Amino acid sequence: VAITFHCQDTVASEEESESGGIFGAVEDGEGGEEEEEESVAVRFTVTVTRAGKTMVLSCLSDNADATVEGVALVEGDADSVSKGIDESLYQGPEFTELAEDLQESFTIYLQEDLCIDGDVAAFIAMYADYREEMEYVGWMKGVQAMIQ
């Protein structure tokens, strides 16, 4: 079992899309409003390899909750999947077209059998945010070095 994600593979929430930002207004206790940064949903991939086949679960970490958004089954080990899934091969049905109970079963499998629960989902979101900050600082230093 392997988990992979990129710090910039985030999903805007509906509130964020409507308001144009990642800050939500909350009461500050004095009748005024104070801005508080909300957790950003992060996409991640879980690969499970058994008997020469690999199942690729496309997942989402949102508010310390891990859910499955898609499933693909491919021949080969996790190394062959790391190069990308061959789009010309059948990947299975659209996940949203599966029966609701089957969709829920994949999420239960993720959380209970693979132990990718709320704690892991929260870690993914927090680490992605931390990594994004570190990459940004490195980028700013590189830009500064170029223009000086």
Side-chain angles (χ1 to χ4, degrees):
V1 176
I3 302 172
T4 56
F5 60 93
H6 190 281
C7 64
Q8 291 181 313
D9 196 1
T10 59
V11 179
S13 69
E14 289 179 26
E15 283 182 16
E16 183 180 326
S17 298
E18 291 171 5
S19 68
I22 60 172
F23 296 100
V26 294
E27 293 294 321
D28 69 1
E30 297 178 8
E33 288 189 359
E34 177 180 298
E35 291 186 355
E36 181 178 299
E37 188 173 351
E38 293 182 9
S39 171
V40 177
V42 178
R43 285 191 177 93
F44 65 98
T45 302
V46 176
T47 54
V48 181
T49 303
R50 287 193 188 136
K53 294 187 182 213
T54 300
M55 183 168 53
V56 180
L57 302 165
S58 300
C59 305
L60 185 68
S61 167
D62 191 16
N63 294 321
D65 189 31
T67 56
V68 178
E69 294 188 314
V71 178
L73 187 64
V74 295
E75 295 291 328
D77 60 6
D79 289 336
S80 62
V81 173
S82 68
K83 297 172 188 142
I85 297 174
D86 186 354
E87 297 295 325
S88 66
L89 300 175
Y90 179 69
Q91 300 301 312
E94 287 292 322
F95 191 74
T96 55
E97 294 175 3
L98 295 173
E100 287 288 324
D101 59 338
L102 183 54
Q103 292 179 39
E104 291 173 13
S105 294
F106 277 113
T107 296
I108 291 168
Y109 173 71
L110 177 75
Q111 295 174 350
E112 295 179 5
D113 295 348
L114 301 178
C115 299
I116 300 173
D117 57 8
D119 291 340
V120 175
F123 172 79
I124 289 170
M126 288 187 294
Y127 188 76
D129 185 51
Y130 167 77
R131 194 69 199 158
E132 168 74 17
E133 277 188 41
M134 295 299 102
E135 293 294 329
Y136 177 72
V137 168
W139 179 82
M140 288 296 291
K141 287 179 180 177
V143 169
Q144 181 182 24
M146 285 293 296
I147 60 176
Q148 286 185 343

